[in-house]
Amino acid sequence: MIELVQQENLAIGSKEAVDSLLKKETVKALVVSDSHGNPRILQSIVSNFGSRCDVMCFCGDGILDLVETLEMGFFDKNFGEKIPPVVYFVRGNGDNSTSTIFTDQRIPIIVPEFQEIEFAGKKLFLTHGHRYNVYYGNKTLKDEAIQRGMDLVWYGHTHVPNSMRSHVTREGRNDFLGILNPGSCAQARGGMPNTFAIVDVHSEEEKNICQYYRISWDRYGEPIYSEMPTPRGEIKLF
């Protein structure tokens, strides 16, 4: 079960769990964003998919939903076993810079603007995206990630899922930057369904796998999850 402590790198989880991600050849990541006050859907996603993942990355706008999910895991041990052992998260434009997890004690946490994460031999830039004009395309975000020496960049904010590989040149050699937005799990835009993604990050680029999931509801209001093709290409809303 996840240890509710914030490490120096601002991840939630035990130091052993955080350090173990560096040693893995493949890391399975649950990537979710923009729950916007709907903790129930976030908790359902975790309940159905969290136990198969090594880490959860939350791309902002719903930090209180994430906090409530972590609190639920403390009081409901069966649910707690389904939360990935490490959780990274960033602040969206609708989130505060600090929060508190309430268990049998108060656990204050810092909600960072961005995270630079390393696992499975890859460097990941995690951000919400609102500082990088992502409604108008990925150029500014891409340039920032390249300048920071990242291999991957995951973001939210647009509420529209998309995934693309961008060619970059590093130290005179051709390389790729993987850009991914999981979409919104609660308030989709652009004619898309509510979505999230599970990504297998592998030390070898060609072995990376991304699977998106569509969220719909049955007649009783219970969520239904189905695989969907990966949305490709750059998204411009304006």
Side-chain angles (χ1 to χ4, degrees):
M1 190 168 74
I2 187 172
E3 183 177 327
L4 296 181
V5 59
Q6 189 167 35
Q7 299 297 328
E8 289 185 5
N9 69 351
L10 303 183
I12 298 291
S14 70
K15 187 177 186 305
E16 292 73 20
V18 173
D19 289 346
S20 73
L21 297 179
L22 292 170
K23 304 172 186 176
K24 289 179 177 289
E25 191 173 66
T26 302
V27 168
K28 188 177 290 290
L30 175 59
V31 191
V32 190
S33 190
D34 293 276
S35 55
H36 282 280
N38 192 337
R40 179 173 172 265
I41 191 61
L42 183 59
Q43 290 157 13
S44 177
I45 291 169
V46 169
S47 182
N48 282 275
F49 297 90
S51 61
R52 70 178 74 172
C53 296
D54 303 300
V55 61
M56 177 163 70
C57 293
F58 187 80
C59 301
D61 270 359
I63 289 300
L64 291 180
D65 304 328
L66 177 62
V67 165
E68 184 173 326
T69 299
L70 295 173
E71 291 171 349
M72 180 178 171
F74 178 83
F75 292 106
D76 182 341
K77 302 306 180 186
N78 289 331
F79 177 75
E81 294 291 343
K82 298 175 181 178
I83 300 175
V86 179
V87 176
Y88 284 98
F89 51 92
V90 291
R91 182 167 77 251
N93 54 297
D95 295 322
N96 292 327
S97 60
T98 61
S99 191
T100 303
I101 302 172
F102 289 94
T103 57
D104 55 351
Q105 57 183 317
R106 293 166 56 95
I107 305 171
I109 60 171
I110 297 169
V111 186
E113 185 75 36
F114 63 87
Q115 283 276 60
E116 291 187 5
I117 305 164
E118 187 170 355
F119 47 60
K122 299 295 183 183
K123 293 181 179 180
L124 164 66
F125 185 58
L126 186 71
T127 187
H128 185 59
H130 60 296
R131 304 287 187 190
Y132 301 101
N133 299 315
V134 292
Y135 283 157
Y136 301 92
N138 291 327
K139 183 182 185 307
T140 305
L141 179 61
K142 172 185 169 182
D143 290 346
E144 179 74 12
I146 293 172
Q147 182 178 347
R148 291 176 179 272
M150 299 291 109
D151 303 298
L152 305 166
V153 54
W154 298 347
Y155 72 103
H157 191 54
T158 65
H159 295 211
V160 179
N162 75 294
S163 178
M164 59 184 292
R165 290 201 316 165
S166 181
H167 290 271
V168 299
T169 301
R170 303 181 197 269
E171 300 177 352
R173 61 184 175 83
N174 291 326
D175 206 344
F176 295 97
L177 175 70
I179 304 172
L180 180 140
N181 187 323
S184 170
C185 64
Q187 295 182 7
R189 295 176 184 152
M192 299 297 293
N194 293 341
T195 55
F196 64 95
I198 292 180
V199 184
D200 288 344
V201 179
H202 197 280
S203 57
E204 298 179 27
E205 170 69 28
E206 63 273 12
K207 295 184 179 180
N208 289 347
I209 299 173
C210 175
Q211 178 62 64
Y212 276 81
Y213 289 86
R214 174 196 315 267
I215 307 169
S216 56
W217 284 264
D218 65 18
R219 70 169 87 178
Y220 304 106
E222 293 299 319
I224 301 171
Y225 303 103
S226 55
E227 295 183 0
M228 62 178 282
T230 299
R232 301 290 185 185
E234 186 169 358
I235 299 297
K236 294 184 180 180
L237 295 184
F238 300 105

